[in-house]
């Protein structure tokens, strides 16, 4: 992680920021029993369906968010995970004041988002990976200037922030080019720089890295981490790329079908859901698969490199045995990748729900 | 970005769209209101022009209504068949989706011309036909031969409109950033709601030969009211054929230079 | 407070100016496609010359002055706010705008006003040609009438802009806002005086039309420019325009508040 270069003016303003922050009451986010229900009209496909619904509509209630509660401390970085349609974006939009809740409360600092007070709008920002706010036919710098004027950012603070963002996101070559001529990644970096120009204290990021290559993802992660450190900003992030979440967030909230199904440390999620660990061995002489299988489930094997999946509780014991009994050159013990864990968590839940539905009674422990 | 294109998409995704059903009704109402207001306005404007009871360019009020009817009909043709298709061409060239069209094993000019129909604007065509029929019948001057010729001349007029519209659209292959060149013609086509003889001096020449509006509305109208001029009728057919082949050639030329230029 | 407002205005104008420059070719095409007043000018001049030089008190020269002024006024009041709002809502681009502490109407207003600035050169060129094409055409009698017209046409633009903006706000409820806004162009021909000078209309029709905002968008500003109205008449036009403006501002406020509630309830 490169250490951000602080120029004199940037240094000065970040100090100002620090003193003003201590004067500020710290901004916390409180969400209580948040709900959002929609009425959806349904139509059968084709002309016939269109004609039928021209006359009579079918409608159905959808509970997009169904009783969500959590608190965010100032400066916290939280990953917000869940399958498509779980209610992540709906929740973020309610937190940003774009959607009005059907029930429950949201407080961000002294504000209620849906009132859309100027003070609130200056306190937050929302980045949507698939929606752009930059002016398409002009260089991104023009959009930055517009944001400066709209958010009433003083000149010296604007310059310092710009300098800092241009540095961390490597924008020098980009900001003077027409936005329409930028690549997807370059455009996203500019979007990301435009959003917190007014130094908001709460950042909502909805898929900020979608469609970007790995390098660009890393760069954007560094930018977010840097911003969080510098301004003690609260960050709530949704992403399809688990690496975004593992790199940035200690705490994660998992949502499914509009309800929170997990809220806590990443490490606790791993322990709770993944009852296995991976032992990775490098052997100095080949061993047969059959022999290895007596220690645990062989995950992958190519003669000298072996991955074994073993029960979490027995990891230490098995590792000791392996070291004692096999020609081990190197050993590492890891948790399974987070994608796998979350995927497993959802498939477990689905299976339980199926069982419940099938048996008509609570699922029993197998 | 073309609004109509998105509207189409919304149509397709109607199952997911909350207000799709409402849209059909509002869309229908708005288009009918628009058709009625437009032709009502044109008739009212015409009545002001004729309020002193004098002929204008040798046409009586009732005869000029045939021209207004034809004008409404052609406007409806443009809105129903031309605009929904051809307005997408420049965007397709700009974004590169034209490549998909050119890859299809079917005539590309046909494909870009006949992909969509905006059925809601059929109301214009119906109102135009109605106005024309009403004026022609009450004039008692129509002959069977004249009506038959008139129908042929309407078709010739539609071919002329299509060809001009299509030629202007084809320029999109070179003028990537100019999306609305067809609006230039559309604006001038407004002259078609009057008999071309109502225009003074050189403007009459302009609307006959530079922008052949006269051959689209005035000449068919003459046939319907039994005043067909054989020379002008032949002229309309000749111009229609000529422009159609120019449009065809121009499109092939454009596609050829497009495919050889892009890698 | 005022300093901030002035700064916002300045930045928005500069940025929109740069943006509109990119679209200068499109702007010229739009200007030339609004040719109905010029077509009507030709038709009425033809009519005047065939009926002995004048119709209803208008000669070829006064028709030319009238329709050139109509064309100019049409150029000054062009508004596409409905189309833009419709696009913003449909493409989900309104959300980012709503997160900013500035009502989106100001952004839209800045875009419209800067676009007008780019229209000026071609406006002057076409007026120059038009005036010289028809002998004896006098567009305006003197400078004070031009100044009065400037204010009048500013108000007229305000009315047309707000009409379009209000229609655009219907996008919160329907995807047909653009189509509804196009109705303006359908009725503008005969309600604003682009087909014929309203003084040639039957008195009964005239009495109804005068109660609508439409004549105050084109016909009356044209009367001011042509010098057919003097002090008191001009003030009356301005007063009625101001009234329509206030009504539309109230409606815009109401639609905006309800629209946001609707947007908040359903989202986009």
């Amino acid at each position: 992680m490169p250490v951000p270069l602080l120029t004199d003016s940037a240094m000065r303003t970040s100090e100002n920021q620090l003193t003003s922050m201590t004067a500020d009451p710290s901004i916390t986010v409180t969400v209580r029993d948040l709900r959002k229900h929609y009425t959806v009209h349904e139509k059968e496909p084709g002309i016939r369906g269109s004609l039928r619904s021209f006359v009579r509509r079918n409608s159905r209630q959808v509970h997009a968010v169904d009783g969500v509660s959590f608190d965010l401390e100032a400066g916290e970085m939280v990953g917000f995970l869940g399958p498509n349609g779980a209610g992540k974006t709906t929740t973020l939009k309610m937190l940003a004041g774009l959607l009005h809740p059907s029930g429950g409360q949201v407080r961000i600092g002294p504000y209620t988002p849906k009132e859309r007070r100027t003070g609130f709008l200056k306190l937050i920002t929302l980045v949507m990976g698939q929606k752009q706010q930059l002016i398409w036919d002009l260089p991104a710098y023009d959009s930055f200037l517009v944001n400066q004027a709209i958010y009433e950012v003083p000149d010296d603070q604007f310059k310092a922030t710009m300098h800092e963002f241009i540095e961390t996101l490597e924008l020098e070559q980009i900001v003077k080019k027409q936005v329409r001529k930028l690549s997807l990644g370059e455009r996203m970096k500019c979007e990301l720089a435009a959003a917190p120009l007014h130094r908001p204290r709460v950042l909502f990021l909805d898929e900020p890295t979608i469609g970007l290559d790995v390098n660009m993802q890393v760069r954007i992660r560094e930018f977010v981490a840097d911003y969080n450190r510098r301004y003690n900003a609260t960050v709530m992030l949704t992403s399809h790329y688990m690496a975004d979440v593992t790199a940035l967030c200690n705490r994660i909230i998992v949502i499914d079908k509009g309800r929170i199904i997990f809220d806590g440390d990443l490490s606790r999620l791993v322990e709770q859901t993944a009852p296995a660990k991976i032992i990775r061995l490098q052997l100095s002489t080949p061993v047969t698969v059959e022999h290895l299988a007596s220690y645990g489930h062989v995950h992958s094997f190519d003669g000298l490199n072996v991955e074994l999946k073993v029960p979490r509780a027995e990891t230490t014991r098995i590792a000791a045995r392996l070291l004692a009994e096999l020609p081990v050159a190197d050993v590492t013990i890891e948790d399974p990748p987070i994608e796998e864990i979350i995927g497993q968590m959802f498939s477990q839940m689905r299976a339980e729900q199926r069982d419940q539905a099938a048996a008509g009674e609570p699922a029993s422990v197998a | 970005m073309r609004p109509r294109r998105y509207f189409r998409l919304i149509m397709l995704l109607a199952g997911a769209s909350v207000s799709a059903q409402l849209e059909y009704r509002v869309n229908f109402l708005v288009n009918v209101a628009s058709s009625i207001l437009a032709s009502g306005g044109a008739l009212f404007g015409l009545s002001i022009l004729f309020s002193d009871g004098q002929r204008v360019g040798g046409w009586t009020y009732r005869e000029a209504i045939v021209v207004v009817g034809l004008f409404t009909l052609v406007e409806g043709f443009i809105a129903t068949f031309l605009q929904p298709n051809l307005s997408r061409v420049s965007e397709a060239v700009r974004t590169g989706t034209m490549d998909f069209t050119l890859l299809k094993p079917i005539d590309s000019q046909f494909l870009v011309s006949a992909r969509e129909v905006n059925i809601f604007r059929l109301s214009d065509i119906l109102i135009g036909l109605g106005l024309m029929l009403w004026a022609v019948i009450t004039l008692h001057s129509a002959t069977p031969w004249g009506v038959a010729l008139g129908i042929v001349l309407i078709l010739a007029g539609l071919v002329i409109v299509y060809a001009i519209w299509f030629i202007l659209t084809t320029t999109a292959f070179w003028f990537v950033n100019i999306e609305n060149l067809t609006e230039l013609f559309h604006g001038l086509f407004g002259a078609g709601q009057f008999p071309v003889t109502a225009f003074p001096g050189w403007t009459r020449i302009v609307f006959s030969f530079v922008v052949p509006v006269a051959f689209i509305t005035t000449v068919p109208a003459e046939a319907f009211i039994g005043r067909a001029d054989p020379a002008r009728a032949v002229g309309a057919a000749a111009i229609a054929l000529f422009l159609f082949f120019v449009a065809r050639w121009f499109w092939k030329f454009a596609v050829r230079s497009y495919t050889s230029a892009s890698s | 407070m005022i300093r901030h407002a002035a700064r916002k205005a300045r930045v928005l104008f500069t940025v929109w100016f740069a943006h509109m420059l990119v679209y200068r070719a499109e702007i010229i095409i739009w200007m030339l496609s609004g040719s109905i007043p010029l077509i009507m000018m030709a038709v009425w001049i033809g009519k005047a010359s065939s009926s002995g030089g004048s119709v209803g008190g208008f000669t070829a020269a006064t028709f030319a002055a009238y329709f050139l002024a109509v064309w100019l006024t049409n150029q000054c009041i062009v508004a596409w706010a409905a189309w833009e709002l419709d696009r913003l809502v449909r493409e989900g681009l309104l959300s980012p705008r709503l997160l900013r502490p500035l009502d989106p109407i100001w952004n839209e207003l800045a875009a419209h006003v800067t676009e007008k600035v780019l229209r000026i050169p071609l406006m002057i060129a076409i007026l120059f040609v038009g005036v010289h094409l028809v002998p004896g055409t006098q567009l305006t009698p003197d400078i004070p009438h031009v100044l009065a017209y400037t204010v009048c046409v500013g108000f007229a633009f305000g009315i047309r802009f707000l009409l379009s903006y209000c229609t655009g706000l219907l996008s919160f409820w329907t995807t047909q806002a653009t189509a509804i806004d196009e109705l303006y162009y359908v009725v503008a021909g005969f309600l604003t005086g682009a087909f014929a000078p309203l003084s040639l209309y039957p008195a009964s029709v005239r009495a109804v039309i005068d109660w609508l905002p439409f004549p105050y968008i084109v016909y009356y500003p044209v009367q001011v420019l042509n010098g057919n109205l003097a002090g008191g008449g001009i003030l009356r036009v301005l007063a009625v325009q101001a009234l329509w403006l206030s009504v539309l501002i109230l409606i815009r406020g109401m639609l905006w508040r309800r629209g946001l509630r609707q947007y908040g309830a359903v989202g986009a």
Side-chain angles (χ1 to χ4, degrees):
Chain A
M1 173 88 53
V3 179
L5 296 166
L6 278 178
T7 60
D8 282 350
S9 63
M11 187 92 80
R12 201 168 54 240
T13 35
S14 6
E15 276 162 13
N16 289 346
Q17 190 73 24
L18 272 172
T19 48
S20 70
M21 252 159 38
T22 45
D24 257 11
S26 66
I27 302 296
T28 57
V29 178
T30 315
V31 178
R32 286 288 169 277
D33 195 31
L34 189 62
R35 286 160 196 280
K36 182 70 195 176
H37 302 167
Y38 291 107
T39 307
V40 178
H41 298 296
E42 291 179 328
K43 182 187 87 67
E44 283 172 34
I47 292 272
R48 194 185 277 244
S50 307
L51 288 177
R52 195 174 304 149
S53 57
F54 191 91
V55 185
R56 202 171 57 86
R57 296 176 180 193
N58 290 324
S59 60
R60 184 167 63 90
Q61 275 268 312
V62 173
H63 298 217
V65 175
D66 201 15
V68 161
S69 306
F70 57 82
D71 295 276
L72 306 181
E73 296 301 320
E76 214 175 353
M77 293 222 263
V78 179
F80 196 34
L81 305 177
N84 288 331
K88 290 173 305 210
T89 304
T90 308
T91 307
L92 284 190
K93 281 187 167 175
M94 285 196 278
L95 294 183
L98 290 173
L99 277 179
H100 297 192
S102 312
Q105 277 118 39
V106 186
R107 296 286 288 175
I108 294 185
Y111 300 103
T112 302
K114 74 167 187 177
E115 291 167 6
R116 301 189 357 95
R117 308 253 160 137
T118 304
F120 168 74
L121 294 175
K122 288 184 177 179
L123 194 68
I124 64 145
T125 197
L126 166 65
V127 175
M128 289 178 277
Q130 288 139 318
K131 304 275 166 71
Q132 54 123 13
Q133 61 155 334
L134 298 173
I135 305 170
W136 188 246
D137 297 293
L138 296 182
Y141 202 81
D142 282 316
S143 297
F144 297 160
L145 286 175
V146 169
N147 272 10
Q148 184 205 355
I150 287 178
Y151 285 98
E152 300 172 1
V153 180
D155 276 333
D156 53 345
Q157 186 192 322
F158 174 74
K159 277 195 197 110
T161 316
M162 248 2 282
H163 185 89
E164 175 190 319
F165 287 4
I166 285 177
E167 197 97 0
T168 6
L169 286 169
E170 293 179 341
L171 294 176
E172 287 107 314
Q173 308 301 317
I174 302 173
V175 288
K176 303 258 155 94
K177 274 204 264 177
Q178 273 193 349
V179 171
R180 66 195 306 170
K181 296 194 173 137
L182 299 179
S183 73
L184 178 67
E186 292 173 332
R187 205 181 309 149
M188 198 56 226
K189 288 204 291 187
C190 291
E191 289 284 349
L192 204 67
L197 260 185
H198 56 290
R199 295 193 186 161
R201 301 288 304 281
V202 184
L203 269 65
F204 299 114
L205 309 176
D206 193 12
E207 301 283 354
T209 53
I210 197 154
L212 303 184
D213 66 38
V214 178
N215 259 333
M216 210 64 96
Q217 287 176 22
V218 170
R219 175 78 45 210
I220 282 174
R221 258 172 240 151
E222 282 171 1
F223 174 75
V224 173
D226 203 44
Y227 186 89
N228 158 269
R229 239 192 338 267
R230 215 177 269 222
Y231 303 111
N232 193 33
T234 312
V235 177
M236 190 161 193
L237 162 98
T238 77
S239 181
H240 267 90
Y241 301 110
M242 234 34 99
D244 285 346
V245 177
T246 45
L248 289 173
C249 311
N250 293 321
R251 175 179 167 193
I252 66 169
I253 296 176
V254 183
I255 185 173
D256 186 37
K257 294 186 173 162
R259 293 165 189 269
I260 290 183
I261 54 173
F262 178 86
D263 180 355
D265 282 357
L266 195 54
S267 51
R268 193 164 67 80
L269 176 75
V270 173
E271 274 165 38
Q272 189 177 313
T273 330
K277 278 198 175 238
I278 304 260
I279 299 180
R280 194 165 295 164
L281 296 174
Q282 214 179 359
L283 303 172
S284 46
T285 52
V287 182
T288 60
V289 189
E290 293 73 27
H291 187 62
L292 285 167
S294 62
Y295 294 95
H297 174 73
V298 180
H299 202 244
S300 77
F301 172 76
D302 74 351
L304 289 176
N305 293 303
V306 183
E307 270 181 38
L308 282 175
K309 211 175 202 176
V310 299
R312 181 172 287 274
E314 294 172 52
T315 317
T316 336
R317 199 175 51 79
I318 294 176
R321 269 183 59 206
L322 285 166
L323 283 171
E325 298 165 15
L326 292 177
V328 176
D330 192 16
V331 63
T332 49
I333 301 175
E334 288 171 7
D335 283 315
I338 187 85
E339 283 91 338
E340 207 169 285
I341 296 177
I342 301 240
Q344 201 175 333
M345 182 165 159
F346 286 127
S347 55
Q348 257 172 29
M349 283 193 41
R350 297 272 185 272
E352 277 167 28
Q353 281 160 355
R354 254 200 316 279
D355 292 348
Q356 275 175 19
E361 60 188 30
S364 52
V365 181
Chain B
M1 302 275 132
R2 308 306 303 182
R4 188 158 288 128
R5 184 166 178 205
Y6 279 87
F7 179 60
R8 290 275 315 168
L9 210 64
I10 289 168
M11 291 270 208
L12 285 175
L13 300 172
S17 162
V18 179
S19 48
Q21 286 72 39
L22 174 75
E23 286 324 315
Y24 289 114
R25 292 174 220 189
V26 176
N27 194 338
F28 183 70
L29 286 178
V30 169
N31 281 293
V32 168
S34 163
S35 304
I36 292 173
L37 282 171
S39 39
L43 285 182
F44 176 74
L46 207 62
S47 75
I48 303 289
L49 189 64
F50 282 89
S51 57
D52 58 359
Q54 300 290 312
R55 285 173 176 251
V56 173
W59 293 65
T60 66
Y61 177 56
R62 190 61 59 83
E63 289 168 350
I65 288 179
V66 180
V67 179
V68 170
L70 273 164
F71 174 77
T72 312
L73 171 83
V74 177
E75 280 280 1
F77 170 73
I78 291 173
T80 311
F81 299 104
L82 297 189
Q83 267 170 346
N85 288 301
L86 300 184
S87 61
R88 296 173 51 175
V89 169
S90 86
E91 193 195 338
V93 172
R94 188 155 30 88
T95 57
T97 52
M98 181 54 74
D99 295 343
F100 296 117
T101 305
L102 297 179
L103 282 174
K104 297 266 160 58
I106 182 173
D107 188 84
S108 56
Q109 179 176 0
F110 175 78
L111 197 59
V112 298
S113 305
R115 227 180 310 209
E116 294 181 45
V117 174
N118 182 0
I119 50 163
F120 293 104
R121 292 302 291 272
L122 283 170
S123 53
D124 275 353
I125 297 181
L126 293 177
I127 288 178
L129 276 176
L131 263 181
M132 228 178 69
L133 280 178
W134 173 74
V136 167
I137 290 168
T138 54
L139 273 167
H140 300 297
S141 62
T143 61
W145 154 246
V147 170
L149 181 64
I151 291 170
V152 174
L153 289 175
I154 289 181
L155 294 177
L158 294 182
V159 171
I160 294 174
V161 172
Y162 166 76
I164 294 177
W165 204 278
F166 193 79
I167 289 168
L168 291 174
T169 301
T170 305
T171 59
F173 281 98
W174 293 280
F175 306 140
V176 181
N177 286 319
I178 300 179
E179 254 185 75
N180 302 300
L181 212 51
T182 49
E183 284 304 314
L184 278 182
F185 169 71
H186 204 192
L188 290 174
F189 181 62
Q193 57 193 306
F194 301 101
V196 73
T197 45
F199 290 93
W202 55 269
T203 51
R204 194 181 301 175
I205 317 262
V206 169
F207 289 129
S208 300
F209 297 108
V210 182
V211 189
V213 174
F215 291 98
I216 300 166
T217 57
T218 309
V219 173
E222 283 174 337
F224 277 109
I225 60 173
R227 281 213 310 247
D229 176 283
R232 274 194 273 186
V234 172
I239 291 178
L241 276 176
F242 173 72
L243 284 176
F244 182 79
F245 283 110
V246 170
R248 183 89 189 129
W249 171 82
F250 191 46
W251 173 258
K252 286 190 168 167
F253 174 71
V255 167
R256 220 175 19 245
S257 66
Y258 171 77
T259 42
S260 61
S262 60
S263 46
Chain C
M1 199 58 192
I2 290 168
R3 202 169 51 83
H4 279 307
R7 185 193 188 116
K8 282 176 207 175
R10 206 190 64 226
V11 170
L12 283 178
F13 281 125
T14 343
V15 166
W16 275 115
F17 193 78
H19 181 264
M20 291 299 169
L21 269 178
V22 177
Y23 285 98
R24 57 194 179 275
E26 295 260 301
I27 292 174
I28 289 172
I29 289 175
W30 283 120
M31 286 184 74
L32 295 177
S33 66
S35 50
I36 278 290
L38 303 180
I39 289 169
M40 295 313 302
M41 177 169 111
V43 169
W44 281 102
I45 288 177
K47 169 101 181 164
S49 62
S50 70
S51 41
S54 82
V55 178
F58 282 87
T59 63
T62 45
F63 271 131
Y66 176 80
F67 284 108
L68 285 174
V70 169
W71 181 81
L72 172 70
T73 310
N74 270 344
Q75 296 295 325
C76 296
I77 56 145
V78 166
W80 60 91
W83 185 86
E84 182 66 15
L85 277 169
D86 177 48
R87 186 180 75 91
L88 289 179
V89 170
R90 201 157 16 83
E91 294 177 14
L93 297 174
L94 190 67
S95 294
R97 306 273 170 108
L98 286 179
L99 289 172
R100 295 170 167 183
L102 180 78
D103 192 317
I105 196 173
W106 298 114
N107 194 36
E108 217 37 64
L109 188 64
H112 278 71
V113 173
T114 44
E115 196 255 9
K116 300 291 173 292
V117 176
L118 279 167
R119 283 177 181 245
I120 290 175
L122 191 60
M123 274 183 202
I124 292 173
I126 288 195
L127 286 183
F128 183 82
V129 172
V131 167
H132 286 84
L133 221 51
V134 184
T137 304
Q138 192 197 27
L139 196 57
T140 186
D142 49 27
I143 297 294
H145 276 93
V146 175
L147 294 179
Y149 170 76
T150 313
V151 180
C152 244
V153 86
F155 279 26
F157 164 71
I159 295 173
R160 171 66 193 123
F161 174 75
L162 281 168
L163 270 180
S164 182
Y165 201 90
C166 289
T167 315
L169 289 177
L170 298 180
S171 310
F172 287 123
W173 295 274
T174 165
T175 63
Q176 288 295 299
T178 310
I180 297 172
D181 191 55
E182 305 249 314
L183 288 179
Y184 168 82
Y185 295 99
V186 171
V187 298
F190 55 101
L191 291 183
T192 67
F195 266 14
L198 296 189
S199 56
L200 298 181
Y201 283 23
S204 53
V205 178
R206 189 68 202 282
V208 176
I209 291 179
D210 268 345
W211 283 96
L212 301 173
F214 300 104
Y216 293 91
I217 300 177
V218 178
Y219 181 71
Y220 284 111
V222 167
Q223 294 309 303
V224 173
L225 184 65
N226 283 167
N228 299 333
L229 288 173
I234 294 173
L235 283 179
R236 198 196 66 89
V237 169
L238 286 172
V240 178
Q241 284 185 320
L243 199 69
W244 277 115
L245 272 179
S246 353
V247 169
L248 285 166
I249 287 170
L250 286 177
I251 294 177
R252 184 322 280 200
M254 187 203 71
L255 282 174
W256 178 243
R257 279 189 302 278
R258 295 203 174 185
L260 278 188
R261 221 176 301 145
Q262 167 76 9
Y263 192 76
V266 182

